[in-house]
């Protein structure tokens, strides 16, 4: 059995534009995946990579907060 947790992290203003761009790219990749030929996973892979990039930004911010860096 696995345990999943979720939490919200406020990203720094300096990363806001990047995250919004990544969010748009993720939505577009998901849209393309839904109409891709059966078996074509290229957009699914792209979608996962984009989400990982967003998660990394959030994890970096969480790590910064935990270390007490202003």
């Amino acid at each position: 059995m696995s345990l999943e947790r979720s939490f919200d992290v406020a990203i720094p203003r300096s990363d806001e534009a990047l995250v919004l761009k990544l969010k748009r790219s993720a939505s577009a990749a998901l849209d393309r995946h839904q109409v891709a030929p059966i078996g074509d996973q290229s957009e699914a892979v792209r979608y996962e990579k984009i989400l990982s990039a967003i998660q990394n930004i959030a994890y970096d911010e969480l790590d910064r907060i935990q270390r007490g860096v202003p």
Side-chain angles (χ1 to χ4, degrees):
M1 180 177 3
S2 65
L3 174 68
E4 292 189 27
R5 294 186 178 156
S6 66
F7 50 90
D8 294 327
V9 176
I11 59 165
R13 288 261 184 221
S14 59
D15 290 331
E16 184 177 11
L18 174 58
V19 171
L20 289 174
K21 179 182 176 185
L22 289 169
K23 182 181 171 189
R24 286 190 300 271
S25 295
S27 293
L30 185 58
D31 290 344
R32 288 188 302 269
H33 175 67
Q34 291 173 346
V35 297
I38 294 174
D40 182 352
Q41 294 297 309
S42 59
E43 293 301 327
V45 170
R46 181 175 290 125
Y47 178 77
E48 289 293 329
K49 285 182 180 181
I50 294 167
L51 292 185
S52 291
I54 294 171
Q55 286 178 336
N56 286 337
I57 292 169
Y59 287 138
D60 288 346
E61 180 62 11
L62 184 61
D63 183 51
R64 186 191 69 76
I65 291 168
Q66 289 179 337
R67 288 178 308 180
V69 177

